[in-house]
């Protein structure tokens, strides 16, 4: 069988990626294993290290095979380990587990593994219910506060390790510990922190945690051999490690374990729920970050399914909770790993290390692991929460920033002082408060008037002055958000206030995310109330058959209008409002063909000169959507509209109806003069909006006119200059009105 070279290169890249991710994993397995079972004291290493390896081997294999990520990479995570450690501490404080003969490890592992298994089942349920896209609905300040609290818990735990204190020591123990701390061990831990931090900052692709562990262990061995009198603290102290055997969950119903399960079931279920929620959020956010950095893709619900099944598999061997690891994925990708083979290779390398190098793992100093965990904890502090803090420090007294930072501090403090269960409860309450507060927020994104914003239709000078003078009778409001039962009442009252004194009120709903029955009813009633007050409501960003239009139809809104005041965009709605104002002022656009003497191009020209110029003008008739010229064509003539409407379009290659409108011209308006005068090509296309009549003056005829009748040619140029000056004045007035508004 022939094997292609590309397949071999892909296999080699996956193997390199698996080896690289295994190296990175080794740097975090020892610290997280020790952290997760820190409450067991000296027995933490013997229980926690095999549990961490079981998670990295069994769990990552299942997640790699089932999960929906392009780049594999899963393992224990510090956030989940802290939550898990809290449950272990509760169990370890039970005298039926922590007996005088030592820790009943088997009973403890049965309960902790059941917790991990239930969290996995919840994640599978999340996947089946397709909750993968709901991660964005969890308020960021709540998540940030919870993560910061977990990071602080890790920091406090490492200081306990530095001082040689038991897990969860009180303030009195801390003071006594300061008096008998081992300076050498503390110095070794601080040196490990400095080394890991330096390597991570200078060479972020290197496995800084593993480098810190190897270097710290080497320094410990050299110092204790050369200067045995210097105390550097205890070692991890596991003589040999093997792969953990599968647990017998049938023993949960035994007389020894069943009472424990009954007692701790509330905490077990709460911990499982928190691990499932935080783990799912962590996995999905990490997947989004990886996709953004590496241009990969993931299936959110399949990813949750893989994480859930992986946690169930981990639980069978007494493992820790598992989640997607950004650092492992980046290490895999950086070394060339692109497929599932890399994840399998990583698991096999870790299995070999566990079986063959267990004795060497026992030689790692506890203070070195604590130093690595301090760096991990510093990296856990949420990056987002720094933004509102910097904003407040800069002197910006923004209420939203202050409120967000307050939530971060409250949730973080409760996590540290009272534990993650009260923190989650407070987080849920604050989430509801944030939701209710969001309901009371205004949907108004911007407000302008017709004085500062006009349509893309270009009017003659007289009508342009009229529209500018009455522009405040047109109001344009851009909405953003959801129009539903929570915002409908406030929206109606705000819109009625903004519409007061206007003749035409335009609502732009392009940025509206949804319209429910209450929202549709509010818009319908708003239109009725405005109509009674003499104001016409126009909706921009609506087309028949479009999502919002279907919603309004389904809920029976605007049935009496049949959509005649709905427009595809603000530009078309503004034009409708402007035409309405002109009609009311008796200055409506003419429907019949304008006589030549009413063209601005012929202003100030006597009858004899007008006849000479008429002889040079060519009459052209266009049908609806007929193209007058295309972009890039020679600009050798100008046009005067006698009847109808001509639009300047960005491009007409895909059809006139679908083209983006840049401007529209009506009867009496001159256009195309710039290209004729400078000789450049057309910068856009032009087409008729309706049956239209134009008169054309070519550059050749104008040049002939300049030779035969320079005075008449100068009058034509003067009228062109006046037309351009009027448009410039209108644009300047619009800009000034915008600045005032």
């Amino acid at each position: 069988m022939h094997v292609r070279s590309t397949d071999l290169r892909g296999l080699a890249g996956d193997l390199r990626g698996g080896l690289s991710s295994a190296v990175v994993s080794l740097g975090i397995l020892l610290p997280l294993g020790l952290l997760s079972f820190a409450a067991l004291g000296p027995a933490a290493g013997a229980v926690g290290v095999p549990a961490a390896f079981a998670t990295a081997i069994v769990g990552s294999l299942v997640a790699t095979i089932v999960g929906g990520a392009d780049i594999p990479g899963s393992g224990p995570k510090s956030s989940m380990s802290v939550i898990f450690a809290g449950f272990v501490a509760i169990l370890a404080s039970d005298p039926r587990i922590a007996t005088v003969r030592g820790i009943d490890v088997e009973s403890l592992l049965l309960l902790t593994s059941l917790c991990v298994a239930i969290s996995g089942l919840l994640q599978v349920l999340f996947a089946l219910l397709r909750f993968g896209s709901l991660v964005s609905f969890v308020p960021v300040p709540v998540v940030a506060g919870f993560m910061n609290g977990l990071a602080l818990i890790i920091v406090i735990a490492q200081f306990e390790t530095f001082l040689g204190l038991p897990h969860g020591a009180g303030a009195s123990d801390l003071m006594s510990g300061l008096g008998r701390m081992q300076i050498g061990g503390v110095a070794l831990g601080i040196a490990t922190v400095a080394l890991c931090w330096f390597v991570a900052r200078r060479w972020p692709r290197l496995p800084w945690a593993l480098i810190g562990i190897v270097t710290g262990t080497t320094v410990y061995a050299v110092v204790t051999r050369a200067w045995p009198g210097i105390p550097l603290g205890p070692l991890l102290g596991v003589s040999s490690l093997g792969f953990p055997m599968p647990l017998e969950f049938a023993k949960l119903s035994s007389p020894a374990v069943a009472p424990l399960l009954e007692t701790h079931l509330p905490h077990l279920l709460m911990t499982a729920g928190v691990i499932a929620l935080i783990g799912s959020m962590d996995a999905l956010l990490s997947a989004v970050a990886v996709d953004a950095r590496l241009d990969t893709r993931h299936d959110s619900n399949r990813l949750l399914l893989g994480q859930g099944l992986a946690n169930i598999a981990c639980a069978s061997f007494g493992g820790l909770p598992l989640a997607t690891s950004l650092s492992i994925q980046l290490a895999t990708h950086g070394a060339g790993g692109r497929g599932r083979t890399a994840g399998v290779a990583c698991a096999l390398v870790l299995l070999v290390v566990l079986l063959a190098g267990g004795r060497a793992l026992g030689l790692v100093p506890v203070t070195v692991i604590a130093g690595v965990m301090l760096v991990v904890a510093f990296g856990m502090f949420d990056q987002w929460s720094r933004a509102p803090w910097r904003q407040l420090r800069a002197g910006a007294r923004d209420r939203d920033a202050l409120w967000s930072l307050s939530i971060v501090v409250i949730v973080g403090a409760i996590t540290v002082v009272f534990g993650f269960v009260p923190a989650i409860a407070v987080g849920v309450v604050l989430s509801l408060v944030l939701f209710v507060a969001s309901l009371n927020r205004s949907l108004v994104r911007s407000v302008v008037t017709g004085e500062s914003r006009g349509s893309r239709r270009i009017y003659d000078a007289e009508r342009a002055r009229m529209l500018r003078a009455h522009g405040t009778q047109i109001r344009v409001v851009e909405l953003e958000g959801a129009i539903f039962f929570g915002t409908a009442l406030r929206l109606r009252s705000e819109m009625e206030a903004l519409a007061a004194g206007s003749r035409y009120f335009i609502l732009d709903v392009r940025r509206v995310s949804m319209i429910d029955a209450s929202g549709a009813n509010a818009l319908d009633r708003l239109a009725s109330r405005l109509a009674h007050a003499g104001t016409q409501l126009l909706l921009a960003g609506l087309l028949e058959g479009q999502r919002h239009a279907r919603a309004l139809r389904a809920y029976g809104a605007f049935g009496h209008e049949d959509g005649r005041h709905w427009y595809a965009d603000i530009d078309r709605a503004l034009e409708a409002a402007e035409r309405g104002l002109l009609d009311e002022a008796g200055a409506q656009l003419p429907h019949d063909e304008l006589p030549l003497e009413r063209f601005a191009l012929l202003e100030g020209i006597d009858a004899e000169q007008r006849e000479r110029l008429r002889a040079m003008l060519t009459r052209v008739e266009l049908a609806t959507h007929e193209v007058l010229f295309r972009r890039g064509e020679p600009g050798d003539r100008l046009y005067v509209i006698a009847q109808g409407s001509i639009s300047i379009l960005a491009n007409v290659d895909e059809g006139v109806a679908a083209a983006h409108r840049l401007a529209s011209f009506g009867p009496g308006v001159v256009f195309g003069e710039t290209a004729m005068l400078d000789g450049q090509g057309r910068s856009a296309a032009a087409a008729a909006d309706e049956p239209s009549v134009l008169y054309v003056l070519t550059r050749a005829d104008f040049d002939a006119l300049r030779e035969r009748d320079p005075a008449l040619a100068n009058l034509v140029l003067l009228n062109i200059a006046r037309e351009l000056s009027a448009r410039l004045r209108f644009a300047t007035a619009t800009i000034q009105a915008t600045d005032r508004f």
Side-chain angles (χ1 to χ4, degrees), residues 538-543 563-570 572-574 576-577:
L538 311 177
L539 294 180
L542 276 181
L543 285 174
R564 65 177 180 270
H565 295 302
W566 296 358
Y567 300 90
D569 51 35
I570 293 181
R572 299 293 183 181
L574 275 167

Side-chain angles (χ1 to χ4, degrees), residues 83-99 104 106-116 118 252 255-273 420-421:
I83 300 170
F84 181 83
F87 182 54
V88 172
I90 292 174
L91 296 178
S93 65
D94 191 320
R96 291 171 292 181
I97 293 179
T99 64
D104 183 358
E106 183 180 18
S107 298
L108 184 140
L109 284 179
L110 283 171
L111 296 178
T112 58
S113 299
L114 179 61
C115 176
V116 175
I118 292 175
L252 286 169
V257 182
L260 294 172
L261 176 59
E262 183 179 355
T263 301
H264 298 288
L265 185 60
H267 279 105
L268 187 151
L269 295 176
M270 177 62 75
T271 304
F420 61 85
V421 175

Side-chain angles (χ1 to χ4, degrees), residues 632-651:
E633 291 183 1
D636 59 351
R637 61 199 64 198
L638 64 78
Y639 304 89
V640 184
I641 304 176
Q643 184 179 14
S645 173
I646 302 294
S647 285
I648 306 300
L649 307 170
N651 201 340

Side-chain angles (χ1 to χ4, degrees), residues 54-65 72-75 310 314 322 343 346-347 350:
T55 300
I57 296 170
V58 177
S60 65
L61 272 176
V62 175
T64 296
I65 295 171
S74 298
C314 292
L322 170 138
C346 173
L350 293 176

Side-chain angles (χ1 to χ4, degrees), residues 398-411:
D398 185 83
R399 185 178 64 179
D400 290 339
L402 182 60
W403 174 239
S404 297
L405 194 60
S406 300
I407 293 175
V408 172
V409 173
I410 291 171
V411 175

